[in-house]
Amino acid sequence: MAIRNIREYGDELLTKKCKEVTEVTPRIKDLIEDMLETMYEANGVGLAAPQVGILKRIVVIDVTGAESYILINPRIVESSGEQVGVEGCLSLPDRHGIVARPNYVKCVALDVNMKPVEVEGTELLARAICHELDHLDGHMYVEKMEGELRDNGVEYEDEK
């Protein structure tokens, strides 16, 4: 497989809405493998297809390093609570912002075999699901951010 280039903030492709996947072809399987490899190489917890230049509704997520999720045509069907915290993005390297997200989400999607799957998550997994699904509709966390975009490595009083 291959590590793909990650599109960065300002790239017009990141503002486009993605198309649904109707079948998992060998090219789609290769894309998914490449996305996982790219995410791990970049030390990310999630990656959406448009971040590697493909306008398909596919995301990969792994917040623990032990269990990856491959979500095709995902959608959030339930959410509750709120968490406010630091959020970054592989498409906006070395920066972060404070973003409010639901503390719990339930997502339905298809897996790599086009079988229905349901993923429920709290805290970081909930944040990652929301963040990656936003990418599929052409949105980035900076649109939801509270305050200013900040440089990584600088600790702020509200983040201690």
Side-chain angles (χ1 to χ4, degrees):
M1 298 293 92
I3 298 196
R4 298 198 181 202
N5 290 327
I6 297 173
R7 303 282 180 121
E8 292 193 6
Y9 182 63
D11 186 317
E12 189 176 313
L13 189 127
L14 294 173
T15 66
K16 306 283 185 199
K17 188 169 179 151
C18 295
K19 295 183 171 93
E20 291 213 346
V21 175
T22 56
E23 67 175 318
V24 175
T25 63
R27 284 183 72 180
I28 294 289
K29 286 182 179 180
D30 287 346
L31 168 65
I32 291 167
E33 289 301 316
D34 290 353
M35 286 174 64
L36 285 164
E37 192 172 337
T38 302
M39 176 186 70
Y40 290 128
E41 178 69 21
N43 294 314
V45 297
L47 188 68
Q51 290 179 274
V52 293
I54 307 296
L55 290 173
K56 297 282 186 187
R57 297 189 76 77
I58 302 170
V59 303
V60 295
I61 297 172
D62 185 345
V63 298
T64 64
E67 181 177 15
S68 62
Y69 298 97
I70 297 164
L71 304 173
I72 299 171
N73 302 334
R75 58 189 176 86
I76 294 171
V77 294
E78 191 177 326
S79 66
S80 64
E82 182 181 75
Q83 58 173 308
V84 178
V86 175
E87 196 162 313
C89 182
L90 295 176
S91 290
L92 191 54
D94 304 319
R95 308 296 299 272
H96 68 276
I98 304 297
V99 181
R101 298 277 191 189
N103 196 51
Y104 163 83
V105 296
K106 181 191 290 186
C107 172
V108 295
L110 300 172
D111 67 12
V112 73
N113 298 309
M114 296 298 278
K115 302 286 186 217
V117 293
E118 186 177 282
V119 177
E120 292 181 89
T122 60
E123 299 172 0
L124 182 56
L125 181 55
R127 179 176 294 281
I129 291 169
C130 293
H131 178 108
E132 299 309 329
L133 270 60
D134 278 353
H135 277 298
L136 302 181
D137 291 320
H139 299 289
M140 289 184 65
Y141 78 92
V142 293
E143 298 170 37
K144 300 174 186 240
M145 190 172 65
E146 299 174 9
E148 298 293 317
L149 194 58
R150 300 172 180 183
D151 291 329
N152 286 353
V154 177
E155 197 168 291
Y156 295 85
E157 194 61 36
D158 58 342
E159 296 172 358
K160 290 182 182 177

